[in-house]
Amino acid sequence: MKKINIKILPLIFILLLSLSADVLWSQEIVDGGTGNEVKVILLKIGNGIRTGAIREFSDELMEETYISLESGVSAYFSANQSFYVLKDFFQHFRPTGFKMIKKSTSSETPFAVGQLTYNKNGIRGESQVFITLKLENNKWKISQLIIN
Amino acid sequence: MFTSKLNRAYLIISMLALSLVLIIRIASPSFINSYSDNWSNSFKEKKLEIERIIQARIDKEEASLAKISQKIKEEISKANPVYDEDYLELIPSNKKISINLFKSNRLIGWNAKELINSNKLTQLLFKWGVGKAFFYETPLVVYLSMVSEIDSILIFTSIPIHKNYFLKNSFYQSLSLTDALDKEFNVSLLPNFDMHSETTNYLKIKNKSGIEIGSVSVSKSSKETDVQKLKDKIALIQSILVIISILLFLLWLSSRKVFEYDILKLVHFIISAVIVRGSFALLNIGEYLGFADLINPIYFSSPFLLGLTKSPLELFLTVVTILAISYKMFIYFTERANLNKLNNAMKSFLGVLFLFLLLLLYNGFTSAIKSIIFDSSILYFKDASLFSGYQTVFMYLNVLLIGLSTILFSTTFVLGFVNVITQFIKKNIKGVFFLLFFVATVFFLLDEMFYSKSSFLLSLVFSVLVFGLSYYWISIKSGHFQKIIVLLFSSSILSISFLNYFNTELETNSLKTIANELTRSNINLYQYYLVNALEEIKENIFFTKKIKSKKINFDAEAFLLWTNTTLSKEFGGSIVNIIDRDKNLLGKFEYNYHTKFSWTWIDKINKTTLDNLVKTDELNKTIKGITPIFNRDSLVCYVEVVVLGDTYKLPTENKEKLISHINPIKKISINADLLKVYDFRNNKLSNYFTNVFLTNKEKETIKSVPLTQNNDRWANVIINGERNIFYLKKIKNKEGDRLLAVGLSSKDITWNLFDFFKVFFVHSIMILFAMLVYLLVNYKKWRTIKISFKTKILVSLLLVSILPLIFLATYFKNISDNKNKSAINYKLGKHADKVEEYINTYFSTSTLSNHDIYDKATRDLEINFSIYEGKNLIYSSEGNYYKIEFLPLLLNPNAYLALNRYGMQEIVVEESIEKYSFNSLYHKCSVSDFNYIINVNDLFNNYQLPMTGIELNVFLFGTYSLAIIMIVLLSTLLANQISSPIEKLTKATRSVANGDMDIQLQSVESGEIKELVNGFNLMVRQLKKNQIELAEVERESAWREMAKQVAHEIKNPLTPMKLAIQHLVAAHNDKSMKYDSIFKKVTTTIINQIDTLKNIASEFSNFAKMPSIKLEEINIIDVANKTADLFIEEKCSVKVISDKEVVVIKSDNEQFQRMIINLIRNSIQASANEIEIDIKDNVDKVVLLVSDNGSGIDEEVLPNIFEENFTTKKTGSGLGLALTRRFLNYTNGKIAIKETSVNGTVIKIEIEKNV
């Protein structure tokens, strides 16, 4: 009988660990309800708005997302278009800070309210942010993003 | 020489630009530091400039006020009016300036609103005096005003300067003293229209008398921001220089020897184009060039190609780059590439590659057009107007260019595909085309079956169009200009067909978006809005300042507060109440909701502080909130905000359109009028937005549709026997289940010609414009343009048919406009009659107050109207607008004069508010000594017309452009048919003149034309026969003459020779002593005579040589092209290929042309239908490769083909190739058969440049 190469063992261990993490994580979503998934999305949105990096949460946008912005824009945009609409907004309203004021992750219509501080042409400003999520193909997605 | 100098210049400038970048890089830190140190000074300069601009505007407006005041004064002194109406009539109509005339404290003249009362006017006159401008503030608008006086008449003129409110809808007309300057100078300006400014950092505004009338405070941006902006500008300059450097370097590189091969040139071009496009992507050029809307992603943005399509402008730049590449590839593959040279394996690979690329292109094209529709907020088909914003027109241009590049690419691939396959299948070109069309279509259909990119029908349209155009391109002998027009129109048709298809997909998808919109709002959102609104109201410093005065219009202030909050962006009902410290209502603004103010709910909460107090009333589905307003720590008033949930209204029902925010449903491609929305709550139909009622069975059908896990579903439902597509969505909340069904009749989603022609018309204008530009750019060639017979026929046919059509369209439009106007007036009149009848009846029979009767009439008749007594408004169904001073409280002056002075009973006038124009009917009534005027308009009453003016325009443009296109097509066909035989004859005559006697025309026509063609053919045959006979006779006669001459010339030396020999014989016989000397003399004579004979022989030999050659410098590409043109009517395509436009050699022009004719004629006689003359200009010689796809030359005869009198043809002379070789020998050239097979022959001709 051939000896098992000892170098393979750590690899198998890592593989098993990652698999078990996956199983645990998926259980948490299924069993623990929608809370964690929603929390993760809201965290992504928070980070994205704070830094103006839309890519952080652009994958979480619904096929048609309602976007209403301080700049006057308010309409439904495709996920493709939303990316650049938001990117364009944050280029003019450069975020300097963002904090979540209120979060509801357990209800049927999860939402969050936040406060954004920005710099527009060297002048500081403040906006309230409202986000709602909806189920789309069994995944929570951003259905509405209002920055006023 | 010049070219090489220019190329060197490219490199030098490129290097210079790069050096400049380095210099800027080194110098910029000190420059930035210096700017930073002097920032305060530059800011002062900026302020002075802003002050100058504002003052210039005020001065200009003041001059306008003075001018119009003077005009009115002159009119009054001239007319000497007596009655009030006389004054009213003197007021000039001016849409910009408001005029009020006062006489003895009475308003006697106005042209719009009553802006001021007499008391206030007297105060202002006392304060400012006559003829001096000042700011006059009304709640919503600030004016620059002036008081003038003539006799006892006070003239108050005002120009609006600044609006205190902002609305985001399509009717709002913005007006600001400072907004444009904010953006231009990157500052924050705040106008103050008080005489004395309180701020320290302000700019004074003065009237022409030098009195300060207002000020503008300036909040400067930070030094860091300005420095950063400067850094950005420097970076931009550096980027531009780098791009210039790259461009010039690429230009220099393209002239290098390394790009001798066409394929390398093509690759170089593609790489250069990609680099240039990539460089432009680094610059946000639209922003710097002032194309703010074209770089706005809301009009179009897609992450496709790593952001190279993120805005309409970026998409345009990318499409232009792709178009340039597609054009180059098209040219390369249709004119330059010689795929015959490739081996079979390579050909097979290319064949598969071309088919694969064609499929890939189809997928790319469908994705691009789909993205244009789905990733854009532009409603390409919904908006009825033809030019609905330049962003839309710009996107139409992008769509056309995408279509054009697709057509160019696909034609390239199809022709490449056909070219390669023709090498394997020996069939005629039509057969190959049909076979490949069939194969490609199968692949397109399979692609559709598996990936569903568009539809089977559209994939078939794509295939037919692409193969049809490719065949057209190579088989039709029309000019390039005509072919380009065909390509452009085909691109338009292709792209619009797909655009229209995806639009129907979007329309269907919109049902889901509408369902989302109708369920978007919930209690959380309303709470967010309410808290936000209270915060914004509390921080509104203008309101706090104004609220100190008791004499302000509190309703208007409530409206202003509302417009400044986020509530104005939503469509649910909302109310803003302003309440005094004693809890009395001072003013209110109600939007889509009405309820009486009550303090009770606040008392019930019993809180000591009312700061942002919020209460949700779930029973009434309202959320209320209140906040106290303080001024320097003292309570001034309270503001209560009420938000009503669940009051969503579709845009068609919205009477508040003038003040409503743009509704998201308005921005959806579907027409909300056609929607069917049913709202089931707990299994019962509780609400609906449609006039189509459901039967119980239909209700059950909708409710019984099984939903997916997401609680939604697409379903087809038959309602009233009509098929409808529905999106069903179920929502579960505390109140139970809610099922929302949003649907549309299938016939309203289907593709229609009307939409198609709207875009096609815009594309046609673009194409015509492009053609016009092309003609203007090439104006130098106009002189050489001869108006052909065909053009004359075409122009005549077009004139005869289009002129009456245009006349008819104009006439029809006038009639329809008048009919529409009459229809509106009729409906307004009918409604006014109904209101009059209702009011008069209730006045005489009811005990209700007048106001209650009017309200009842509004509710019962469902008509919105206004009532005037004299010139003053006493009631309006839409009182909100009048209370907030949005609409004038005075009767329209024209209506007043018509009804009161000229005794008219009724008048319709066109009025406007903001950018909205409407028809307003004024109807004079009277009941029991009460005289009043009813006003009904189509601003507050929605009248459906069968076809609105804009729709009619589109319809007319659409149908008539279709008619014009049909006429152009038919006229072109007819003109072609008439002129084509004549053109053929002209060209054939030219060929005959050039010595081609083998030409014979084919004719399918009948009648005179056939006789003419037959006559021509007979004539050419006869000419040829005569030429041969004549040549025979001439040859015979020449031989006879020559024989005679030869005999004569030979005889001449023979006689002296004979005599000399006889003399020598006699001397010999006589044994003469002088025999030796005689012998010497005789032999000398004989030798001389023999020399004479030799000379005679040489001269005859010279005489029999080729005709003399006239050497001159000729451009052989030009000669070859002209020769190829002679064969344009033959069933064979003759193509001249060269990478140069001019190749000059020393040769005989006429004989060179004859040589080419000989070679082409030989190929045609060997059944070739494609001949290529490839001309290469090498350093010391020119190489011509004449290749054909004929039947080739038999190996047996190959060694003899250049011999004289050798021919394989029945009627050949056997001289053609022999003469060609002989001609080439004379001009240092040689000819050889490079290759020959059953697939064709390649003849190689080499001509030395040094003859």
Side-chain angles (χ1 to χ4, degrees):
Chain A
M1 196 180 158
K2 277 186 183 177
K3 274 188 181 177
I4 297 169
N5 191 342
I6 195 115
K7 286 177 190 169
I8 293 175
L9 287 174
L11 285 174
I12 294 170
F13 178 72
I14 291 167
L15 185 70
L16 284 172
L17 200 69
S18 62
L19 277 175
S20 59
D22 266 2
V23 170
L24 283 173
W25 183 240
S26 58
Q27 269 179 350
E28 198 172 354
I29 290 168
V30 174
D31 297 337
T34 58
N36 282 331
E37 196 183 342
V38 169
K39 269 181 199 165
V40 170
I41 294 172
L42 291 179
L43 199 69
K44 281 182 183 176
I45 298 170
N47 288 337
I49 294 178
R50 194 172 294 117
T51 55
I54 316 303
R55 239 174 242 295
E56 288 258 353
F57 62 90
S58 59
D59 288 344
E60 313 301 334
L61 294 163
M62 259 174 82
E63 268 179 43
E64 292 280 322
T65 310
Y66 177 79
I67 294 176
S68 175
L69 302 172
E70 177 94 40
S71 55
V73 169
S74 65
Y76 280 86
F77 295 102
S78 70
N80 276 345
Q81 211 185 350
S82 303
F83 178 82
Y84 280 109
V85 169
L86 289 170
K87 195 172 177 187
D88 187 62
F89 173 77
F90 284 121
Q91 262 169 10
H92 292 101
F93 292 72
R94 293 182 186 276
T96 52
F98 177 75
K99 62 176 178 190
M100 288 283 189
I101 300 168
K102 194 175 175 183
K103 267 193 251 182
S104 166
T105 55
S106 57
S107 69
E108 284 185 2
T109 49
F111 75 98
V113 179
Q115 194 170 38
L116 167 75
T117 50
Y118 58 78
N119 181 323
K120 190 193 173 199
N121 284 334
I123 297 160
R124 286 174 64 81
E126 203 176 88
S127 275
Q128 300 292 316
V129 181
F130 183 79
I131 306 140
T132 49
L133 306 182
K134 271 188 184 173
L135 266 181
E136 187 179 69
N137 299 327
N138 283 330
K139 280 194 168 180
W140 288 101
K141 293 271 180 181
I142 303 164
S143 64
Q144 178 168 218
L145 178 59
I146 300 172
I147 304 176
N148 275 318
Chain B
M1 192 69 173
F2 174 74
T3 322
S4 77
K5 269 187 184 173
L6 190 68
N7 286 334
R8 253 202 315 278
Y10 288 150
L11 184 67
I12 292 165
I13 299 169
S14 166
M15 292 301 125
L16 276 176
L18 217 55
S19 316
L20 215 54
V21 174
L22 288 173
I23 293 167
I24 292 172
R25 178 78 192 89
I26 295 161
S28 59
S30 62
F31 179 68
I32 290 165
N33 284 340
S34 148
Y35 174 79
S36 178
D37 294 343
N38 292 315
W39 181 75
S40 299
N41 287 338
S42 63
F43 183 70
K44 274 180 198 160
E45 282 170 22
K46 202 188 258 188
K47 263 172 51 177
L48 284 174
E49 181 60 11
I50 294 168
E51 192 170 24
R52 191 192 62 73
I53 293 171
I54 293 176
Q55 193 59 56
R57 185 180 158 196
I58 297 298
D59 290 348
K60 192 182 153 206
E61 303 293 28
E62 189 178 349
S64 308
L65 290 177
K67 196 177 163 191
I68 200 147
S69 302
Q70 186 57 34
K71 194 180 168 191
I72 295 167
K73 282 200 275 185
E74 282 168 11
E75 289 285 330
I76 290 174
S77 6
K78 208 161 62 180
N80 205 11
V82 180
Y83 301 107
D84 288 0
E85 283 88 357
D86 296 340
Y87 286 98
L88 187 56
E89 246 177 328
L90 285 177
I91 293 180
S93 59
N94 191 312
K95 283 189 176 172
K96 193 178 168 192
I97 301 177
S98 287
I99 304 161
N100 285 181
L101 253 58
F102 287 87
K103 185 184 176 186
S104 315
N105 295 333
R106 273 186 308 111
L107 180 74
I108 52 165
W110 68 98
N111 69 338
K113 285 182 176 181
E114 181 183 8
L115 279 184
I116 196 164
N117 58 38
S118 63
N119 289 340
K120 183 79 184 164
L121 184 65
T122 315
Q123 283 172 23
L124 289 174
L125 185 63
F126 179 72
K127 186 177 176 184
W128 296 99
V130 171
K132 293 189 174 62
F134 52 88
F135 287 122
Y136 176 67
E137 273 200 85
T138 65
L140 302 189
V141 183
V142 180
Y143 296 85
L144 184 74
S145 303
M146 184 183 277
V147 186
S148 307
E149 197 173 10
I150 178 166
D151 302 333
S152 57
I153 308 296
L154 288 178
I155 307 161
F156 183 68
T157 47
S158 309
I159 287 183
I161 288 286
H162 188 89
K163 279 185 182 170
N164 289 333
Y165 63 100
F166 175 77
L167 297 167
K168 181 86 180 169
N169 64 36
S170 49
F171 309 122
Y172 175 72
Q173 200 157 25
S174 65
L175 181 70
S176 169
L177 185 65
T178 52
D179 274 3
L181 296 169
D182 277 359
K183 282 177 197 154
E184 190 182 339
F185 291 95
N186 188 30
V187 286
S188 179
L189 300 173
L190 198 65
N192 172 36
F193 300 104
D194 281 350
M195 198 173 165
H196 305 292
S197 172
E198 291 171 6
T199 54
T200 48
N201 196 7
Y202 69 94
L203 309 169
K204 289 179 184 173
I205 305 173
K206 294 175 181 173
N207 64 15
K208 279 194 175 165
S209 310
I211 303 164
E212 187 184 334
I213 56 171
S215 61
V216 173
S217 75
V218 189
S219 302
K220 54 188 175 185
S221 56
S222 70
K223 186 175 169 181
E224 287 70 28
T225 314
D226 279 357
V227 169
Q228 187 54 48
K229 281 198 181 289
L230 180 69
K231 283 180 183 170
D232 290 347
K233 273 185 190 162
I234 292 171
L236 177 77
I237 293 167
Q238 285 177 310
S239 310
I240 291 170
L241 284 170
V242 168
I243 289 173
I244 292 171
S245 177
I246 292 170
L247 276 172
L248 292 171
F249 181 74
L250 290 170
L251 273 174
W252 171 79
L253 202 63
S254 65
S255 64
R256 299 289 85 195
K257 269 246 164 209
V258 70
F259 297 118
E260 202 172 292
Y261 297 102
D262 288 332
I263 185 74
L264 284 181
K265 277 185 184 169
L266 179 68
V267 172
H268 171 255
F269 179 83
I270 294 171
I271 294 171
S272 304
V274 171
I275 291 173
V276 172
R277 175 65 193 97
S279 311
F280 272 108
L282 299 174
L283 310 171
N284 203 355
I285 54 163
E287 199 166 310
Y288 296 100
L289 297 176
F291 300 146
D293 278 343
L294 298 186
I295 55 165
N296 194 338
I298 67 161
Y299 296 111
F300 174 78
S301 58
S302 165
F304 184 61
L305 282 178
L306 304 168
L308 291 182
T309 56
K310 65 179 179 184
S311 70
L313 187 69
E314 294 288 340
L315 174 71
F316 173 75
L317 293 173
T318 305
V319 172
V320 167
T321 309
I322 293 171
L323 185 64
I325 293 171
S326 66
Y327 174 73
K328 278 280 174 184
M329 281 182 73
F330 179 75
I331 294 295
Y332 174 74
F333 279 101
T334 52
E335 292 183 8
R336 302 255 197 277
N338 192 351
L339 302 178
N340 298 349
K341 293 175 189 169
L342 303 171
N343 61 35
N344 283 350
M346 197 61 191
K347 282 175 189 169
S348 313
F349 169 72
L350 275 180
V352 175
L353 181 69
F354 283 133
L355 180 64
F356 172 71
L357 288 175
L358 198 60
L359 273 172
L360 206 65
L361 182 73
Y362 171 72
N363 285 286
F365 173 67
T366 48
S367 301
I369 299 290
K370 190 173 182 176
S371 176
I372 296 271
I373 284 284
F374 279 83
D375 299 332
S376 168
S377 306
I378 293 172
L379 307 171
Y380 296 94
F381 298 100
K382 186 182 173 186
D383 194 340
S385 61
L386 277 172
F387 298 99
S388 42
Y390 68 98
Q391 307 88 351
T392 313
V393 176
F394 192 71
M395 284 305 287
Y396 284 150
L397 175 66
N398 278 335
V399 168
L400 177 66
L401 296 181
I402 289 172
L404 182 60
S405 54
T406 305
I407 290 277
L408 283 177
F409 269 130
S410 52
T411 316
T412 307
F413 299 150
V414 168
L415 290 177
F417 193 26
V418 168
N419 201 344
V420 169
I421 298 301
T422 318
Q423 313 293 317
F424 294 107
I425 312 164
K426 197 68 192 163
K427 275 198 169 188
N428 69 17
I429 202 87
K430 260 187 203 171
V432 174
F433 258 99
F434 186 75
L435 184 75
L436 294 183
F437 164 72
F438 180 73
V439 173
T441 307
V442 168
F443 274 97
F444 284 137
L445 295 176
L446 285 173
D447 190 34
E448 274 305 324
M449 195 185 286
F450 291 110
Y451 300 105
S452 300
K453 300 299 282 189
S454 62
S455 72
F456 286 119
L457 182 68
L458 276 181
S459 65
L460 198 64
V461 168
F462 183 87
S463 190
V464 168
L465 203 61
V466 162
F467 276 86
L469 275 175
S470 306
Y471 184 73
Y472 167 79
W473 190 265
I474 60 159
S475 61
I476 306 293
K477 310 275 184 205
S478 50
H480 263 61
F481 187 74
Q482 194 178 324
K483 283 184 176 177
I484 289 168
I485 291 178
V486 172
L487 277 193
L488 283 166
F489 276 109
S490 308
S491 312
S492 171
I493 291 166
L494 181 74
S495 51
I496 303 170
S497 305
F498 278 76
L499 197 72
N500 213 337
Y501 171 80
F502 286 118
N503 190 61
T504 57
E505 208 172 278
L506 181 73
E507 280 180 6
T508 313
N509 210 45
S510 300
L511 299 178
K512 187 176 174 183
T513 314
I514 290 165
N516 284 337
E517 174 59 17
L518 292 175
T519 54
R520 179 172 61 84
S521 309
N522 58 25
I523 203 81
N524 303 324
L525 181 69
Y526 291 130
Q527 264 178 1
Y528 160 75
Y529 277 141
L530 188 102
V531 173
N532 235 349
L534 291 174
E535 280 297 325
E536 277 162 0
I537 289 167
K538 226 163 56 173
E539 286 163 16
N540 191 325
I541 50 165
F542 296 106
F543 175 64
T544 322
K545 254 167 84 179
K546 277 197 271 182
I547 201 74
K548 286 186 287 183
S549 166
K550 293 277 179 195
K551 291 179 183 173
I552 61 170
N553 179 342
F554 285 101
D555 291 332
E557 291 306 323
F559 168 68
L560 286 176
L561 286 179
W562 181 81
T563 59
N564 282 320
T565 65
T566 44
L567 292 172
S568 61
K569 289 187 176 179
E570 282 291 326
F571 308 94
S574 54
I575 298 173
V576 174
N577 289 324
I578 301 174
I579 307 145
D580 69 10
R581 283 177 297 190
D582 302 324
K583 301 170 187 176
N584 300 314
L585 184 69
L586 290 170
K588 66 172 177 179
F589 176 74
E590 294 176 337
Y591 175 78
N592 274 339
Y593 180 46
H594 171 73
T595 186
K596 277 193 173 176
F597 161 70
S598 157
W599 188 265
T600 344
W601 72 272
I602 303 162
D603 284 337
K604 276 183 188 169
I605 290 177
N606 197 17
K607 285 241 176 159
T608 47
T609 168
L610 299 182
D611 196 11
N612 287 3
L613 185 66
V614 176
K615 189 199 169 219
T616 306
D617 180 352
E618 294 204 357
L619 187 70
N620 295 316
K621 291 177 184 167
T622 56
I623 311 167
K624 292 176 179 177
I626 191 161
T627 190
I629 305 294
F630 294 96
N631 185 28
R632 290 177 186 161
D633 296 332
S634 86
L635 178 70
V636 189
C637 68
Y638 298 98
V639 175
E640 183 199 40
V641 177
V642 184
V643 182
L644 175 72
D646 216 9
T647 53
Y648 204 95
K649 294 199 173 179
L650 288 179
T652 45
E653 300 172 88
N654 190 5
K655 285 185 288 183
E656 313 278 9
K657 56 190 165 220
L658 283 182
I659 54 169
S660 286
H661 198 79
I662 299 171
N663 192 314
I665 291 181
K666 271 259 180 202
K667 289 186 179 178
I668 289 169
S669 65
I670 220 158
N671 189 348
D673 293 337
L674 308 169
L675 277 177
K676 294 185 180 89
V677 182
Y678 302 102
D679 194 353
F680 295 88
R681 310 251 172 148
N682 295 323
N683 254 351
K684 281 185 182 168
L685 183 65
S686 67
N687 207 352
Y688 52 85
F689 305 117
T690 174
N691 50 11
V692 180
F693 300 104
L694 295 177
T695 61
N696 286 337
K697 196 182 165 194
E698 287 162 350
K699 283 178 198 167
E700 287 309 312
T701 312
I702 291 176
K703 285 192 285 184
S704 62
V705 172
L707 301 179
T708 63
Q709 277 187 326
N710 280 338
N711 274 331
D712 63 354
R713 180 121 209 170
W714 288 98
N716 285 313
V717 181
I718 307 287
I719 296 174
N720 276 349
E722 202 176 56
R723 192 168 161 267
N724 290 269
I725 180 149
F726 267 92
Y727 176 74
L728 305 172
K729 189 174 177 66
K730 196 170 191 177
I731 306 118
K732 288 179 182 173
N733 54 29
K734 290 171 194 166
E735 295 150 22
D737 284 353
R738 181 182 176 195
L739 177 70
L740 199 65
V742 184
L744 195 65
S745 168
S746 297
K747 72 173 170 51
D748 291 327
I749 302 179
T750 49
W751 192 94
N752 66 64
L753 211 60
F754 176 82
D755 286 343
F756 182 91
F757 273 102
K758 182 191 152 190
V759 188
F760 186 71
F761 183 76
V762 180
H763 276 180
S764 301
I765 290 171
M766 285 172 181
I767 293 168
L768 290 178
F769 181 72
M771 292 298 123
L772 202 67
V773 170
Y774 176 83
L775 287 175
L776 284 174
V777 169
N778 294 292
Y779 76 99
K780 281 183 183 169
K781 290 180 185 171
W782 287 13
R783 281 180 216 157
T784 55
I785 291 174
K786 288 175 192 163
I787 298 170
S788 64
F789 179 58
K790 184 170 90 176
T791 317
K792 282 179 190 167
I793 296 173
L794 184 64
V795 171
S796 313
L797 285 170
L798 289 177
L799 281 177
V800 167
S801 44
I802 291 177
L803 284 180
L805 206 67
I806 292 170
F807 172 74
L808 273 176
T810 319
Y811 177 69
F812 184 49
K813 181 169 165 30
N814 276 339
I815 287 184
S816 305
D817 282 347
N818 288 337
K819 288 254 177 210
N820 267 351
K821 206 173 174 182
S822 307
I824 288 278
N825 292 351
Y826 176 77
K827 285 179 182 177
L828 290 172
K830 277 277 169 203
H831 275 188
D833 289 344
K834 274 189 188 174
V835 174
E836 183 187 11
E837 196 185 334
Y838 189 96
I839 291 173
N840 288 355
T841 311
Y842 271 83
F843 271 174
S844 15
T845 56
S846 162
T847 52
L848 288 171
S849 71
N850 287 3
H851 197 276
D852 288 343
I853 293 172
Y854 303 144
D855 270 344
K856 194 169 160 48
T858 304
R859 282 193 307 274
D860 292 353
L861 299 172
E862 291 185 342
I863 297 170
N864 292 303
F865 62 91
S866 302
I867 304 283
Y868 292 86
E869 189 176 5
K871 61 179 185 290
N872 299 314
L873 181 90
I874 55 169
Y875 172 82
S876 175
S877 310
E878 293 293 331
N880 241 355
Y881 283 96
Y882 297 92
K883 279 184 201 161
I884 63 171
E885 298 181 30
F886 200 77
L887 289 173
L889 292 158
L890 284 178
L891 186 68
N892 182 302
N894 294 331
Y896 181 85
L897 283 172
L899 302 179
N900 291 327
R901 182 158 211 179
Y902 299 113
M904 288 171 72
Q905 197 60 34
E906 198 170 87
I907 183 174
V908 178
V909 286
E910 273 186 30
E911 297 180 339
S912 65
I913 178 81
E914 303 275 342
K915 285 190 232 165
Y916 192 89
S917 294
F918 54 96
N919 296 296
S920 208
L921 180 133
Y922 293 88
H923 181 80
K924 201 155 75 174
C925 317
S926 97
V927 58
S928 333
D929 297 334
F930 174 53
N931 296 318
Y932 64 99
I933 294 165
I934 295 172
N935 166 234
V936 186
N937 58 38
D938 58 355
L939 167 66
F940 297 126
N941 296 286
N942 194 19
Y943 298 119
Q944 289 287 329
L945 284 173
M947 203 175 247
T948 64
I950 298 167
E951 282 169 345
L952 183 75
N953 281 346
V954 175
F955 175 74
L956 282 178
F957 279 125
T959 47
Y960 282 86
S961 59
L962 170 67
I964 287 172
I965 289 158
M966 294 303 287
I967 288 170
V968 170
L969 283 174
L970 283 173
S971 303
T972 314
L973 272 173
L974 277 173
N976 266 339
Q977 212 167 8
I978 297 169
S979 64
S980 144
I982 292 161
E983 266 178 34
K984 276 183 190 169
L985 276 168
T986 314
K987 284 196 174 131
T989 313
R990 216 176 294 146
S991 293
V992 172
N994 280 307
D996 184 6
M997 291 292 176
D998 292 324
I999 195 159
Q1000 285 289 295
L1001 292 176
Q1002 302 290 324
S1003 170
V1004 287
E1005 288 88 2
S1006 55
E1008 292 91 339
I1009 298 289
K1010 190 175 176 72
E1011 280 175 29
L1012 184 64
V1013 170
N1014 289 343
F1016 175 83
N1017 286 342
L1018 187 67
M1019 181 187 80
V1020 174
R1021 281 200 299 274
Q1022 206 62 45
L1023 265 176
K1024 192 180 174 186
K1025 195 181 154 197
N1026 290 346
Q1027 198 186 36
I1028 293 165
E1029 281 174 8
L1030 190 65
E1032 199 66 38
V1033 170
E1034 274 178 357
R1035 206 180 300 145
E1036 208 170 287
S1037 153
W1039 277 114
R1040 272 204 202 111
E1041 186 60 28
M1042 198 172 73
K1044 223 193 302 178
Q1045 285 289 325
V1046 169
H1048 176 73
E1049 292 296 325
I1050 290 171
K1051 264 186 197 167
N1052 286 344
L1054 283 179
T1055 309
M1057 281 170 77
K1058 188 182 173 186
L1059 286 172
I1061 289 169
Q1062 280 174 349
H1063 185 53
L1064 185 67
V1065 171
H1068 182 266
N1069 289 342
D1070 294 345
K1071 298 203 187 327
S1072 171
M1073 292 298 286
K1074 293 178 184 173
Y1075 179 78
D1076 285 346
S1077 65
I1078 290 166
F1079 179 78
K1080 197 177 174 184
K1081 195 179 167 185
V1082 166
T1083 49
T1084 308
T1085 305
I1086 292 169
I1087 287 167
N1088 284 343
Q1089 292 309 314
I1090 289 169
D1091 282 344
T1092 307
L1093 279 172
K1094 192 182 162 191
N1095 283 342
I1096 290 166
S1098 299
E1099 275 179 28
F1100 276 106
S1101 168
N1102 286 340
F1103 179 73
K1105 272 185 184 172
M1106 283 279 296
S1108 61
I1109 288 173
K1110 244 170 60 187
L1111 283 182
E1112 58 185 324
E1113 287 202 336
I1114 57 165
N1115 174 10
I1116 55 169
I1117 293 187
D1118 195 26
V1119 179
N1121 275 322
K1122 279 180 185 165
T1123 315
D1125 284 346
L1126 295 174
F1127 293 86
I1128 210 153
E1129 299 302 332
E1130 302 270 348
K1131 284 184 174 175
C1132 169
S1133 105
V1134 182
K1135 246 193 262 174
V1136 178
I1137 302 170
S1138 179
D1139 51 0
K1140 293 198 172 169
E1141 286 183 5
V1142 177
V1143 176
V1144 177
I1145 60 163
K1146 271 195 167 179
S1147 187
D1148 184 302
N1149 189 18
E1150 204 176 308
Q1151 292 197 46
F1152 191 89
Q1153 190 176 21
R1154 201 170 296 146
M1155 173 184 82
I1156 305 278
I1157 290 176
N1158 267 332
L1159 295 174
I1160 294 173
R1161 188 56 66 198
N1162 281 350
S1163 293
I1164 293 172
Q1165 283 163 351
S1167 314
N1169 54 18
E1170 275 183 40
I1171 300 166
E1172 276 183 9
I1173 305 170
D1174 189 358
I1175 302 173
K1176 289 191 183 347
D1177 185 11
N1178 294 341
V1179 185
D1180 50 348
K1181 63 185 172 189
V1182 171
V1183 179
L1184 278 86
L1185 291 172
V1186 183
S1187 50
D1188 66 42
N1189 62 348
S1191 53
I1193 307 165
D1194 286 344
E1195 266 185 43
E1196 293 165 10
V1197 299
L1198 206 51
N1200 305 323
I1201 57 162
F1202 292 111
E1203 284 176 14
E1204 279 185 26
N1205 301 324
F1206 178 80
T1207 181
T1208 54
K1209 299 168 230 167
K1210 281 179 187 171
T1211 56
S1213 65
L1215 284 172
L1217 284 173
L1219 283 173
T1220 299
R1221 186 163 68 171
R1222 201 192 293 175
F1223 163 66
L1224 284 169
N1225 285 342
Y1226 282 124
T1227 54
N1228 275 5
K1230 53 184 180 183
I1231 184 167
I1233 305 294
K1234 196 180 172 216
E1235 57 185 71
T1236 181
S1237 69
V1238 284
N1239 291 329
T1241 304
V1242 182
I1243 294 176
K1244 186 178 181 183
I1245 294 168
E1246 288 177 308
I1247 305 167
E1248 301 286 332
K1249 280 190 174 172
N1250 298 320
V1251 178

